[in-house]
Amino acid sequence: MNNISFELNNTLSAKTAFTSCGCNRTPSSVHWLQDSQNENQAEEHGGGGLFLYAARNSVAVVLSERNGAPRVISSHSLHKDRVNCVRWLQKSTNSSQLCYFLSGGVDKALCLCKYHRKTREIESVCCFKDSQSSVICCDGLTLKSGQFLLASACGDSYVRIYQPDKDAEKALQSIKFGTGFILSLQLTFISATSVPMLACGGDDAKIHIFIQQAGQFVKAISLHGHEDWIRGLDFTTDDKGDMLLASCSQDCFVRIWRITESPNKVPDPSQNPSGEIKLKENVFVAEVNEKNVTFSVTVETVLYGHEGWVYGIHWHPKVLDASGTSRQPMKLLTASMDKTMIIWQPDADTGVWEERLRVGEVGGNTLGLYGCQFSAGGRTILAHGYHGAFTLWNLTTSSSGDEHWCRGIAVSGHFGDVTDIAWDPEGHFLLSTSFDQTTRLFAPWKETGNWYEMGRPQVHGYDLQCLAMLGRLSFASGADEKVVRVFQCPLNFLENLDKLCDAKISSELHQMKKEGRTMAEGASVPALGLSNKAVFADQPVDMYADKDVQPAANEQYTESSFRPLDLTVPPSEDNLLQNTLWPETQKLYGHGFEIFALAANPQGTILASACKATKPDYAGIILWDTKTWQQITTLYCHSLTVVQMAFSPVSGNRLLSVSRDRTWALHQFDYTSGAVDKLAATDKKTAVHSRIIWSCCWTPDEAFFLTASRDKKVIFWCRNEDSLGGGDQPAGLNGYGACSQATFSQSVTAVGVSYVLDSSRRYLLAAGLENGEITLCSWNKSEGLTQLHVLDTNMAHHLTVRKLIFRPNSNTSEGHTNNVVKLASCGQDHQVKLYDIMLTG
């Protein structure tokens, strides 16, 4: 416990220091801002400016900084369900600090928002909710009047057209596509005019072109050629003034269509009196400036290079040449389920389109890519995949002037509910587990001070529920299986972590060498396996040595082989998956159902585990000796699932447990004799909570412990020595009783107390609510609870908070000179967040 001299009062403030969340698994989930300021920012920062991505029910804004390292700088909860698509809108405003974007989601809403560059705040402008089904994709256009023209495609087979300034509640026009679905759409202007054009690609393998005439979109033509669902469309205009429409499909082909004005042609493609063999031209007529103008559509090229469905397509943005003239580079980026991105470009001599660059992933257990984007300026390419991960490549120039593409640092995060988090005992890094079946390690990169995912110790086959740190170099995790798994940090990862993050682990390494303990170099997981097997230096590992059936030469699922790394920047996605695994050292059997809760004492010598239970026989807490990995005993004190456990933070000789049966229990250890005794417990008669108890924790001096429940209450418990042996005190409580309680506006699902006390011995408390808010309070026994600050659902979480834990030893790790306490949180919104809480002195 650190007793720092400062006062907690209502001037306490907080800011988000780090946000981690995976990208949603939809093709239109990412969009890069393409404007002049963003392009200048890209050149200034050596990155790519701002891009937007969908993160569960929220939208996140990412900034690429000078060293090319992106980070989430803002997020906003806009929807009540998953966001399917996001799109920046280009609008000329008097303020260059203002940007607009669209988002559409499963909640049937299409939202228009504005983003303030300077303050990094997101503000909702309007929201359209007249759809009868999920919004699949969306796009927008800025008209000559400065108004927006918006379009969205929905799961009810309609494409809807909106104009916010005219009607903010319902669509101006609804276009029905029978029983089919539109999976991609794009809005643009017909070249050199102000006439809007809409292209829609659907599950009928056709591209439907609409032209706005007299305020309504009218179908002009349907383009045939693809043989499967069309997943992406993108317009551009070449330097000659012709429009180019690129389309990609699940037939693995990419097509480029050229749309040109043909003033002397009659819209009858069958007329060809000369009999000359030529490409078929599709012709349509549009009214432009009160004149009928004929346009022809021809296939410019058909590109085949991907071996899987092509989901993403994006033209290189326009650039300025030396004279300041805008020109369009003929480069096209595509992304596919074959896990590759390709840049296509026509040959300078023949004009034939060909593959100029192919990047992606080889091997591993990931699926393909869902979308791709060029950055502003085109010097960075980005793709996102099925597992919510980003793949980013930067175009770099060597000292000799040669240009080549190299993999860059990308943001990353979980793509499932984050169920548990745990700090390194020294507070240098944070571990998290999730329903996405991974355990991830986050730490600050010492070059920038920003937090990144530095490792992925566990990639599992079951949804992960809980974890507990066993010292600095080991942890245990529990999943939807009956086994507790224990992991040990490998040497290669440890060396890289210390180099990148200054984790100060040299003393641990020295102690291990002194004791003669050997460390694995890394770990690998066999194909379709669940256990991370240790890999030692100069000792190749045979993944199938203990298997009766060996893999065939054409085995579909290949193993992920470990390769030692010498990192100078945070690891990329492929390295996270294959080269940062921790070897599994123990499997602990004893529970009859899926593991649900874990806790370890501060010394790391005792591990407590509990599983899902519907009767007392299965609700036992097993205690494990971490030196011998033998069971010490089983504690039977609950009748339903034990939800959470917590050891006393200093002595570690008391274990607190809370359960779905609305009770808590407290056990005490005698480390000398090895005895374990029940110290106190509530039952149905003495229970104060009326609903399930979700969370529990201790105050840093072990004088009080807290319980948080669905009944919206946080209760402080303590032992009153005066009441021991009194006739009015229930025997089972052994002198313990509720000394204070606080009621919140929502069910309290997580609670944490800081390691820091103020000069009045008040505790700093954080309570996480069911709606995602986090409330910061101060408390002592005499004054009760005082609310200091509320982190709303945009700053905190937009779904239920699962865990809150203050950083231990924060005064020594990042310095407490500025009275800053760091709080970590996780939630069902897939996010892991860190907050800097500024305390006034």
Side-chain angles (χ1 to χ4, degrees):
M1 178 183 67
N2 305 305
N3 197 354
I4 308 298
S5 178
F6 61 85
E7 292 291 336
L8 291 176
N9 54 46
N10 292 330
T11 62
L12 176 145
S13 61
K15 67 176 182 179
T16 304
F18 169 66
T19 300
S20 170
C21 184
C23 184
N24 290 349
R25 304 176 181 179
T26 52
S28 303
S29 290
V30 181
H31 195 224
W32 216 301
L33 179 60
Q34 310 289 343
D35 67 359
S36 57
Q37 178 168 337
N38 205 43
E39 186 174 341
N40 295 335
Q41 191 178 53
E43 295 297 328
E44 177 186 349
H45 292 292
L50 299 173
F51 69 85
L52 197 68
Y53 77 94
R56 194 56 171 94
N57 300 358
S58 66
V59 174
V61 180
V62 178
L63 170 67
S64 284
E65 299 186 286
R66 180 178 298 278
N67 53 16
R71 62 188 178 95
V72 177
I73 59 173
S74 182
S75 64
H76 194 74
S77 177
L78 303 164
H79 296 268
K80 296 181 180 179
D81 210 329
R82 187 190 69 196
V83 178
N84 283 335
C85 52
V86 293
R87 192 80 180 174
W88 287 109
L89 301 179
Q90 312 299 328
K91 183 170 184 177
S92 299
T93 63
N94 294 330
S95 173
S96 60
Q97 298 296 322
L98 199 60
C99 307
Y100 290 82
F101 67 85
L102 271 180
S103 64
V106 176
D107 61 352
K108 309 175 186 178
L110 178 70
C111 297
L112 174 64
C113 298
K114 53 185 174 183
Y115 171 74
H116 300 267
R117 291 181 192 261
K118 187 174 182 179
T119 61
R120 296 177 177 175
E121 293 179 351
I122 297 174
E123 178 185 346
S124 178
V125 176
C126 62
C127 197
F128 304 97
K129 300 181 179 180
D130 56 336
S131 171
Q132 302 302 311
S133 187
S134 304
V135 178
I136 300 172
C137 54
C138 62
D139 197 13
L141 203 60
T142 305
L143 302 176
K144 208 171 186 179
S145 61
Q147 297 175 332
F148 285 125
L149 183 67
L150 312 177
S152 68
C154 306
D156 57 4
S157 302
Y158 278 95
V159 169
R160 291 178 171 84
I161 309 298
Y162 302 93
Q163 196 166 326
D165 294 336
K166 283 191 174 182
D167 196 326
E169 294 184 359
K170 61 181 181 180
L172 293 179
Q173 182 182 358
S174 297
I175 305 172
K176 177 69 172 174
F177 284 85
T179 58
F181 301 98
I182 295 301
L183 304 172
S184 58
L185 59 78
Q186 278 280 296
L187 276 169
T188 190
F189 290 113
I190 295 179
S191 183
T193 73
S194 58
V195 178
M197 173 187 287
L198 172 66
C200 304
D203 59 355
D204 58 358
K206 300 175 184 176
I207 302 173
H208 306 279
I209 304 292
F210 294 82
I211 307 296
Q212 191 179 58
Q213 307 280 256
Q216 293 287 303
F217 278 93
V218 179
K219 187 171 183 178
I221 197 171
S222 292
L223 305 179
H224 303 254
H226 286 292
E227 298 178 354
D228 208 333
W229 294 5
I230 296 171
R231 303 310 303 243
L233 297 170
D234 199 23
F235 275 109
T236 193
T237 303
D238 66 10
D239 295 338
K240 299 178 182 178
D242 290 346
M243 298 175 62
L244 295 175
L245 170 62
S247 60
C248 62
S249 168
Q250 291 182 185
D251 61 7
C252 306
F253 285 92
V254 175
R255 289 175 173 261
I256 300 178
W257 312 80
R258 182 176 292 273
I259 304 175
T260 60
E261 183 177 341
S262 305
N264 299 323
K265 292 199 173 183
V266 179
D268 186 1
S270 62
Q271 294 183 0
N272 184 16
S274 64
E276 179 183 356
I277 298 177
K278 60 181 181 179
L279 287 174
K280 179 181 177 181
E281 290 185 348
N282 298 286
V283 183
F284 65 90
V285 176
E287 183 179 329
V288 179
N289 297 327
E290 299 181 352
K291 295 181 181 179
N292 287 336
V293 180
T294 304
F295 295 89
S296 64
V297 185
T298 57
V299 178
E300 174 78 3
T301 187
V302 179
L303 307 176
Y304 179 73
H306 289 293
E307 297 177 355
W309 297 353
V310 186
Y311 268 92
I313 194 162
H314 190 215
W315 284 105
H316 191 292
K318 292 183 180 295
V319 297
L320 298 177
D321 59 20
S323 63
T325 304
S326 176
R327 62 179 185 85
Q328 174 62 55
M330 286 292 99
K331 294 181 181 180
L332 182 67
L333 177 66
T334 58
S336 167
M337 291 299 283
D338 65 5
K339 300 190 283 189
T340 65
M341 285 189 289
I342 297 178
I343 294 180
W344 307 86
Q345 191 173 0
D347 183 80
D349 297 326
T350 65
V352 176
W353 284 79
E354 57 188 15
E355 177 184 320
R356 288 298 176 91
L357 174 75
R358 182 188 292 259
V359 296
E361 299 177 7
V362 178
N365 59 357
T366 62
L367 295 179
L369 302 178
Y370 266 144
C372 58
Q373 289 282 294
F374 272 111
S375 69
R379 299 188 65 86
T380 300
I381 56 176
L382 174 78
H384 66 100
Y386 180 81
H387 287 155
F390 290 102
T391 301
L392 186 146
W393 294 77
N394 294 316
L395 182 61
T396 59
T397 304
S398 64
S399 56
S400 61
D402 297 330
E403 292 187 334
H404 63 279
W405 291 88
C406 62
R407 190 184 286 271
I409 306 168
V411 294
S412 64
H414 291 286
F415 60 93
D417 295 8
V418 186
T419 53
D420 203 357
I421 51 176
W423 281 103
D424 155 40
E426 297 296 326
H428 289 287
F429 58 83
L430 181 73
L431 282 176
S432 63
T433 57
S434 168
F435 284 167
D436 67 3
Q437 304 179 352
T438 65
T439 299
R440 303 181 188 231
L441 186 149
F442 302 95
W445 184 21
K446 63 183 181 181
E447 183 172 322
T448 64
N450 297 328
W451 287 67
Y452 292 96
E453 184 179 352
M454 294 295 179
R456 204 165 295 174
Q458 184 182 11
V459 179
H460 203 38
Y462 291 97
D463 292 357
L464 291 165
Q465 288 280 4
C466 50
L467 83 158
M469 292 297 298
L470 304 172
R472 299 199 67 194
L473 306 181
S474 180
F475 75 92
S477 70
D480 284 342
E481 56 178 346
K482 305 174 185 179
V483 184
V484 177
R485 298 176 186 266
V486 181
F487 299 85
Q488 182 77 34
C489 183
L491 182 60
N492 181 249
F493 175 82
L494 207 56
E495 292 171 343
N496 283 314
L497 182 67
D498 196 40
K499 182 169 56 175
L500 292 175
C501 307
D502 194 20
K504 297 180 176 59
I505 44 78
S506 55
S507 59
E508 283 81 0
L509 283 173
H510 177 73
Q511 183 65 26
M512 292 188 69
K513 292 178 181 179
K514 184 178 179 180
E515 296 174 359
R517 288 185 288 167
T518 58
M519 290 185 69
E521 187 75 11
S524 291
V525 59
L528 302 181
L530 296 176
S531 300
N532 297 351
K533 295 196 173 182
V535 177
F536 293 91
D538 304 323
Q539 179 185 345
V541 60
D542 183 359
M543 293 289 179
Y544 297 91
D546 58 348
K547 304 293 183 183
D548 294 331
V549 179
Q550 299 297 310
N554 61 346
E555 177 63 63
Q556 180 182 2
Y557 299 99
T558 58
E559 66 271 11
S560 299
S561 299
F562 167 76
R563 296 291 181 270
L565 301 175
D566 184 15
L567 297 175
T568 57
V569 297
S572 58
E573 179 65 18
D574 57 340
N575 283 328
L576 287 170
L577 281 168
Q578 297 184 172
N579 300 317
T580 62
L581 293 171
W582 290 21
E584 184 180 314
T585 57
Q586 293 290 335
K587 293 184 181 71
L588 306 180
Y589 298 90
H591 289 288
F593 292 95
E594 296 89 343
I595 307 299
F596 198 81
L598 292 172
N601 66 346
Q603 298 79 12
T605 57
I606 297 177
L607 174 67
S609 63
C611 71
K612 294 180 180 179
T614 55
K615 54 175 145 178
D617 292 345
Y618 303 119
I621 299 171
I622 299 180
L623 301 181
W624 307 87
D625 185 336
T626 61
K627 292 182 179 179
T628 63
W629 295 114
Q630 299 296 313
Q631 291 188 20
I632 300 174
T633 187
T634 302
L635 309 176
Y636 292 99
C637 47
H638 296 286
S639 58
L640 294 175
T641 304
V642 174
V643 177
Q644 197 171 100
M645 300 177 288
F647 279 88
S648 50
V650 180
S651 63
N653 64 350
R654 285 178 288 173
L655 173 64
L656 173 66
S657 59
V658 295
S659 168
R660 297 181 69 93
D661 62 10
R662 309 173 187 177
T663 67
W664 57 261
L666 189 62
H667 289 81
Q668 186 166 8
F669 300 84
D670 187 333
Y671 286 109
T672 304
S673 64
V676 182
D677 299 314
K678 182 190 287 187
L679 190 59
T682 56
D683 54 26
K684 290 184 179 180
K685 293 182 179 179
T686 58
V688 180
H689 288 294
S690 59
R691 303 293 297 275
I692 177 176
I693 303 177
W694 281 122
S695 184
C696 64
C697 71
W698 290 85
T699 57
D701 54 4
E702 302 184 1
F704 305 90
F705 63 85
L706 289 72
T707 57
S709 169
R710 183 179 284 172
D711 62 8
K712 305 180 183 179
K713 293 179 182 178
V714 171
I715 299 179
F716 291 78
W717 304 81
C718 65
R719 191 173 192 179
N720 187 352
E721 298 292 343
D722 296 335
S723 65
L724 292 179
D728 296 335
Q729 183 71 19
L733 291 178
N734 195 21
Y736 282 87
C739 57
S740 179
Q741 72 177 33
T743 303
F744 292 81
S745 60
Q746 295 273 329
S747 298
V748 185
T749 55
V751 66
V753 178
S754 170
Y755 285 77
V756 184
L757 297 179
D758 76 345
S759 57
S760 301
R761 297 194 63 79
R762 287 184 295 176
Y763 302 100
L764 175 61
L765 163 73
L769 307 184
E770 191 173 32
N771 67 348
E773 290 183 352
I774 297 175
T775 302
L776 301 175
C777 309
S778 65
W779 179 89
N780 63 19
K781 190 175 180 180
S782 60
E783 299 177 6
L785 194 78
T786 302
Q787 180 174 304
L788 303 176
H789 193 77
V790 176
L791 309 181
D792 63 17
T793 54
N794 292 319
M795 188 174 182
H797 297 270
H798 57 267
L799 293 177
T800 303
V801 180
R802 291 296 299 265
K803 188 73 175 282
L804 291 171
I805 181 168
F806 283 89
R807 182 178 190 169
N809 299 322
S810 57
N811 64 318
T812 60
S813 51
E814 277 192 356
H816 205 81
T817 55
N818 294 324
N819 289 340
V820 177
V821 175
K822 196 174 287 292
L823 171 67
S825 70
C826 66
Q828 292 181 358
D829 56 0
H830 306 180
Q831 296 188 11
V832 175
K833 287 195 169 188
L834 294 179
Y835 313 93
D836 286 334
I837 301 172
M838 279 69 73
L839 311 167
T840 58

